[in-house]
Each structure stands twice: as structure tokens, then as C-alpha cells.
Amino acid sequence: EHERMETQLLYADRLSLLGQLAPRIAHEFKTPLQVITGHAGLAEEWLKDGKVREARDSLGHICPAADRMLGLVHQMTDLGKPSDARQTELDLRVEVERTLEPLQELGAVKYCQIVRDYDADLPNIRGDSEQVEQVYRNLIVNAVQAMGQGRGRTLTLSLQTSEDGCWVETVVGDSGPGIPDEDLEQIFHPFFTTKSEGEGTGLGLPIVKTIVDRHSGKISVNSIEGEGTQFSVT
């Protein structure tokens, strides 16, 4: 009887773990899947119009998006490995732009004014490129979604070095409605979301915070209702 109960508890624990992982997997796969399906549709339209060059450009975005999904699969299957196993030297300007490029072609990012402020002497950091890209992708997509579909949408991307040269700070800002004070304390809690039902899982920012913590960094948020929000990652 004791062994049977232990087996049932182990099975229940595995089901619980699967239930926790499923929405996270769906959240992380959603954006690259949108890139793949969106650009496949664009390529089809270009080919109908005989625009081979434009179709080739759209198809060029599909393989990198599929590679990102493959990278996510590797992360999930390699959970037992040390978190610094894939760390290399990274230029965060390159990482931001590589994350931004496919997002600019589709959705609301395409119609945002993007203001860049990059330190010319930005030092490299050590980090996991795939995880850093997850951080930037989540913050940029959240910023764009927060601004909605109205006019005057400004996405601000800043990369600066601290005065002592020990830290690199990334700021992702938006000109949206801001986050209410009562929600600011909860935004990094799993499954908390201010989005409409079906539009968010509440896992994006907890994933971001987990990755930043793994890189010995810090994340903070400054938001003023009616003016916008800035997420700072050091």
C-alpha cells in the first residue's frame, strides 16, 4: 500500500510539473512560430506577384526562427547541465538588433518609432546568447503590446555602461499607458498578467527575471501612468 501511494504521488508530481511547463513552452514558442507562419504567408504573396527577391527575403527569416525554437528544445532537454555551459562573450548591441530584426517585419513593431541610444564604447559581457535573446524579445514584445494600436508609439532602446565600467544597463521603454502602482509589485509573479484573457500567460516577465538572475544581473521597472514604462536590466 505504501509503495502504491508513493507511485501515485510521483505520478501526480509529474503531472503537476507538466502542467507548469506547458504554458511556458507555449509562451516561448509563440513568437518564433508567428515569425515562421507570417513570413511564409508573405513569401507566398510575393511569389504570386512574381517578386522573387522579396519572397527570398521573407524566407530568410524562417530558418533563424526555427533555430530559436530548436534552441528552446535544447534548453528544456539540457536542464541538468550547469547554467553557464553555453556562456560566451556577447556584444549586447548585436544581441538587441538581432532580436529586433524579425520583430520589425511583422505586427505592431513595424509601425513603432524606434529610438536607439547605444554607448559607443559598450564592453562585452559573458552570457548565454539564446537566453539573452529571450530577455530582449519578451521585453520588446511586451512594450509594443502595451502601446496598443494607437498613434505616437515610441519604443526606446538604450545600452549604457555604468560610470565605474562594471555594469552594462539595458533599458527598454514604451510610451504606453503605464502600469498601475498596485500591479507593479506583482508583475514578476508567475501567471500574473494585465493582458486580456487569452492574450498572455503571465510567464514572460518571470522567465526574464530568472534569466537575469542566472547572469548575476538585476531587473527593475519604472512606470508612470499615462506616460509609459521602462524596464532596466543590468
Side-chain angles (χ1 to χ4, degrees):
E1 178 66 14
H2 181 73
E3 290 177 353
R4 187 181 67 82
M5 290 182 64
E6 282 189 340
T7 301
Q8 288 179 339
L9 285 172
L10 180 60
Y11 179 67
D13 186 58
R14 287 175 177 172
L15 285 178
S16 175
L17 180 60
L18 180 61
Q20 294 173 43
L21 284 176
R24 173 170 179 173
I25 295 169
H27 178 84
E28 289 301 317
F29 273 64
K30 184 176 180 181
T31 298
L33 275 174
Q34 287 175 331
V35 171
I36 291 171
T37 57
H39 278 292
L42 284 174
E44 187 176 17
E45 293 300 318
W46 290 132
L47 289 173
K48 286 181 182 178
D49 296 336
K51 298 180 179 180
V52 178
R53 181 176 179 180
E54 289 84 351
R56 187 181 294 114
D57 290 340
S58 290
L59 290 172
H61 290 285
I62 292 177
C63 283
D67 288 339
R68 284 195 293 275
M69 293 173 65
L70 185 60
L72 290 171
V73 172
H74 287 318
Q75 286 186 39
M76 289 183 287
T77 55
D78 295 342
L79 289 175
K81 294 184 179 180
S83 60
D84 60 352
R86 293 181 295 270
Q87 289 198 356
T88 58
E89 280 207 1
L90 304 177
D91 182 337
L92 291 184
R93 290 167 296 194
V94 173
E95 301 301 317
V96 171
E97 291 300 317
R98 184 165 60 193
T99 305
L100 190 62
E101 183 181 0
L103 296 176
Q104 282 184 280
E105 301 295 324
L106 300 168
V109 180
K110 186 176 182 179
Y111 304 103
C112 286
Q113 178 186 5
I114 301 175
V115 178
R116 295 171 172 85
D117 183 16
Y118 298 164
D119 189 340
D121 298 320
L122 199 73
N124 290 347
I125 70 157
R126 286 195 62 79
D128 185 307
S129 179
E130 292 178 359
Q131 293 184 12
V132 169
E133 185 178 344
Q134 278 182 271
V135 169
Y136 288 148
R137 186 171 68 247
N138 273 292
L139 293 180
I140 291 171
V141 170
N142 280 355
V144 172
Q145 290 178 343
M147 291 185 283
Q149 302 296 322
R151 294 185 177 182
R153 290 170 295 169
T154 302
L155 176 66
T156 305
L157 302 171
S158 171
L159 285 166
Q160 302 296 325
T161 312
S162 63
E163 292 184 3
D164 59 9
C166 294
W167 296 89
V168 173
E169 179 186 41
T170 303
V171 176
V172 178
D174 65 67
S175 58
I179 302 172
D181 291 341
E182 61 269 22
D183 291 341
L184 281 175
E185 297 180 359
Q186 305 181 71
I187 57 174
F188 294 111
H189 293 178
F191 303 108
F192 176 80
T193 179
T194 58
K195 298 176 184 177
S196 302
E197 186 174 351
E199 293 184 3
T201 63
L203 288 170
L205 288 177
I207 290 171
V208 166
K209 188 176 187 309
T210 297
I211 293 173
V212 173
D213 289 343
R214 285 180 188 168
H215 285 74
S216 302
K218 298 178 182 179
I219 183 168
S220 61
V221 57
N222 179 42
S223 186
I224 300 176
E225 289 193 66
E227 295 186 16
T229 302
Q230 295 82 39
F231 280 89
S232 172
V233 178
T234 55

